[in-house]
Amino acid sequence: VKGGYEHFMLKEIHEQPNAIKDTYRGRLNAKEGLIRMAGIDDNIERFLNANRIIIIACGTSWHAGLVAEYIFEDLARIPVEVEYASEFRYRNPVITENDVVIAISQSGETADTLAAIKLAKSKGAFVFGVCNVVGSSIARETHAGAYTHAGPEIGVASTKAFTTQITVLTLIALKLAKEKGSISHSNFHYHLQELELIPAKVEKALLQDDHIKKIADIYKDAKNCLYLGRGFNFPVALEGALKLKEISYIHAEGYPAAEMKHGPIALIDEHMPVFVIATKKGHYEKVVSNIEEIKARKGKIIGIVTEGDEAVKSIADHVIEVPETLESLSPLLTTIPLQLLSYHIAVLLDRNVDQPRNLAKSVTVE
Ligand code: F6R
């Protein structure tokens, strides 16, 4: 059942190259420069005329929403708000008929997300679903949607659902950007080509497994960990921290790297491992100076860097390399080592990786 892997989570982490490919297959044609998605094509005017896009989700899906916010705004120039479904539904939110709501859910059964969808519909918004489970409640309740084709996700900690959600949302953003003319012809083509290269690059990132396991062994007894990232990779820091918390029960916090000096820097001492996403392009120099600030306070640095990196390598205690790609696509790669790291720490601590305590795969109660 686990395809020779010790846990579903590990199997699902390793399935990501194919899951991402399955998600864009039939939708993306890089040669012809086409993106076809029925749910978007059939409702293109709703999207193009939208005042804004409101993304609602919970947990890891909410993190995918945050990545999408950066991508939509950068490429399609549409204002985006990302909301926790549980807050949105009880907040008397301002929603109009010109709003497009995108609900993201792996299971398609999350009670808060479902309730938020019903609320948005009652106010006249157009609601689009991004679900993994075919025929799920959220898939049925939304006006239109696009499935992630990740295949069944059994491990409670979400992995391949996250990267395939980002894949779908990237396709949507690119499609809208092209329709709106907010992306240049060459940049559009470049994105499509790079997206097609992602599965092979995820495969390459997965080859760091043994190296990551050694790092996991060094930090498995930490009581607290900090995860930092900027821009497109800020939500990846949040997701890295969530993954560690839920399966290893180690306290972890994700933060935008530059926000650290407004509080969390007080926590840093020689016992604090700090995982910093510091890939080239994405405010690289700024992140390097954030790393220097941590080092000056004796924090332990584990950098997630672009292959061939020199600057971070010279200051960090450890680095984990990922292949180079476009900044907007980098979350699909930087997520991988953080998933593996949480996995190995949890295994070394003898935790129940696939069924962590107190958690359920789908949260059907509010
Ligand atoms: C994290 C995790 C949860 C879910 C959240 C939303 O690994 O599994 O945070 O992401 O409960 O679930 P879905 O996506 O099914 O709505």
Side-chain angles (χ1 to χ4, degrees):
V1 204
K2 295 174 195 160
Y5 290 99
E6 208 178 325
H7 298 95
F8 282 111
M9 184 184 178
L10 189 61
K11 172 174 179 262
E12 289 159 6
I13 290 172
H14 281 273
E15 280 171 351
Q16 287 174 112
N18 282 327
I20 293 169
K21 219 181 277 170
D22 287 344
T23 295
Y24 70 58
R25 179 174 297 130
R27 292 169 166 166
L28 169 72
N29 185 334
K31 267 201 205 92
E32 289 177 32
L34 283 176
I35 295 173
R36 277 196 219 96
M37 299 177 88
I40 303 292
D41 293 320
D42 296 347
N43 300 285
I44 194 75
E45 293 304 321
R46 299 285 318 221
F47 280 94
L48 296 178
N49 296 327
N51 287 339
R52 57 175 179 165
I53 292 175
I54 306 169
I55 296 179
I56 48 176
C58 303
T60 290
S61 297
W62 183 76
H63 295 152
L66 286 179
V67 174
E69 175 182 20
Y70 283 81
I71 299 176
F72 271 92
E73 297 204 344
D74 186 44
L75 301 177
R77 308 302 297 151
I78 303 172
V80 176
E81 285 166 37
V82 189
E83 307 263 3
Y84 285 117
S86 55
E87 285 299 312
F88 180 81
R89 63 181 288 205
Y90 286 121
R91 212 195 43 227
N92 193 16
V94 179
I95 313 169
T96 71
E97 290 170 5
N98 289 327
D99 289 328
V100 167
V101 171
I102 299 180
I104 311 172
S105 175
Q106 187 286 129
S107 64
E109 302 297 343
T110 302
D112 280 316
T113 309
L114 195 54
I117 291 167
K118 289 180 178 160
L119 173 70
K121 277 172 75 181
S122 75
K123 309 264 184 197
F126 175 73
V127 186
F128 188 90
V130 176
C131 297
N132 191 44
V133 177
V134 176
S136 55
S137 303
I138 292 174
R140 283 183 280 119
E141 193 63 45
T142 41
H143 293 115
Y147 284 114
T148 48
H149 295 295
E153 194 181 62
I154 311 289
V156 163
S158 192
T159 53
K160 61 178 180 170
F162 180 67
T163 44
T164 54
Q165 285 163 345
I166 295 174
T167 303
V168 163
L169 293 159
T170 302
L171 289 171
I172 298 173
L174 283 166
K175 173 136 192 102
L176 296 179
K178 185 168 184 235
E179 293 288 337
K180 281 191 70 179
S182 58
I183 191 168
S184 72
H185 189 73
S186 60
N187 197 17
F188 178 75
H189 279 267
Y190 191 30
H191 270 81
L192 299 199
Q193 281 162 9
E194 283 295 315
L195 196 51
E196 275 199 329
L197 296 175
I198 289 291
K201 292 183 182 182
V202 171
E203 200 80 69
K204 203 158 177 216
L206 288 166
L207 295 176
Q208 298 276 316
D209 199 33
D210 286 340
H211 172 57
I212 294 170
K213 201 166 169 180
K214 287 184 198 127
I215 298 175
D217 197 41
I218 298 171
Y219 297 103
K220 66 179 189 300
D221 298 315
K223 296 280 165 272
N224 300 284
C225 295
L226 205 54
Y227 286 74
L228 303 176
R230 294 182 82 128
F232 296 90
N233 282 297
F234 154 53
V236 176
L238 298 182
E239 174 60 8
L242 179 63
K243 273 313 68 108
L244 188 69
K245 280 184 266 208
E246 58 184 345
I247 61 168
S248 73
Y249 318 145
I250 296 172
H251 173 248
E253 261 192 86
Y255 243 81
E259 193 61 21
M260 185 186 65
K261 55 178 134 350
H262 300 284
I265 199 164
L267 293 166
I268 291 172
D269 62 14
E270 67 275 23
H271 306 295
M272 178 68 100
V274 186
F275 299 93
V276 191
I277 303 150
T279 43
K280 291 258 169 67
K281 298 179 184 158
H283 316 287
Y284 180 71
E285 280 76 25
K286 303 270 183 204
V287 179
V288 170
S289 63
N290 295 143
I291 291 174
E292 280 161 347
E293 289 157 14
I294 301 163
K295 208 63 224 166
R297 288 154 186 88
K298 303 197 171 60
K300 298 282 183 285
I301 309 278
I302 305 93
I304 313 300
V305 300
T306 309
E307 273 171 3
D309 177 276
E310 296 292 337
V312 176
K313 204 176 236 168
S314 68
I315 354 171
D317 295 272
H318 312 271
V319 294
I320 304 168
E321 293 188 341
V322 293
E324 188 166 1
T325 188
L326 288 170
E327 192 192 344
S328 52
L329 302 180
S330 64
L332 292 167
L333 302 181
T334 52
T335 299
I336 308 297
L338 299 182
Q339 293 172 342
L340 286 170
L341 199 96
S342 301
Y343 172 79
H344 287 302
I345 290 180
V347 170
L348 289 164
L349 296 176
D350 211 18
R351 305 293 193 228
N352 187 345
V353 172
D354 284 333
Q355 281 181 302
R357 67 186 183 201
N358 309 338
L359 293 174
K361 185 64 186 162
S362 57
V363 184
T364 52
V365 291
E366 66 168 282

